[in-house]
Amino acid sequence: MRLMDEIHLEYPFMGSRGIKNELWNKSYKVGRSHIRTLMRKMGIEAIYKKPHLSEPHPTIRSTPIF
């Protein structure tokens, strides 16, 4: 978990697959599902553009009503 935290601080955009690959490169053989479980337990998640960030507020209309 300490290594995962170090990787996440260095590369905050990496998800469970990227962290798994980094750990494999450092000779730690772990599975992606276990990485995902530990990420949830630690409260970390990848930073990326989430869906629907540009949706307008439902009460604002883009065209005027006549």
Side-chain angles (χ1 to χ4, degrees):
M1 288 174 74
R2 182 184 54 80
L3 289 171
M4 285 177 53
D5 193 39
E6 289 175 7
I7 292 169
H8 179 71
L9 288 174
E10 190 172 346
Y11 306 105
F13 53 86
M14 277 193 183
S16 60
R17 292 170 196 247
I19 291 176
K20 182 206 65 116
N21 290 337
E22 284 291 317
L23 289 173
W24 274 61
N25 291 338
K26 294 180 180 184
S27 301
Y28 292 94
K29 304 298 182 197
V30 291
R32 186 176 74 86
S33 59
H34 187 60
I35 296 292
R36 206 168 103 201
T37 302
L38 291 176
M39 284 178 70
R40 254 190 251 124
K41 187 175 186 177
M42 295 167 63
I44 61 175
E45 64 178 19
I47 297 174
Y48 60 93
K49 184 179 175 187
K50 306 291 193 278
H52 307 296
L53 288 178
S54 297
E55 285 188 359
H57 195 269
T59 59
I60 298 174
R61 297 183 181 259
S62 59
T63 55
I65 301 174
F66 296 105

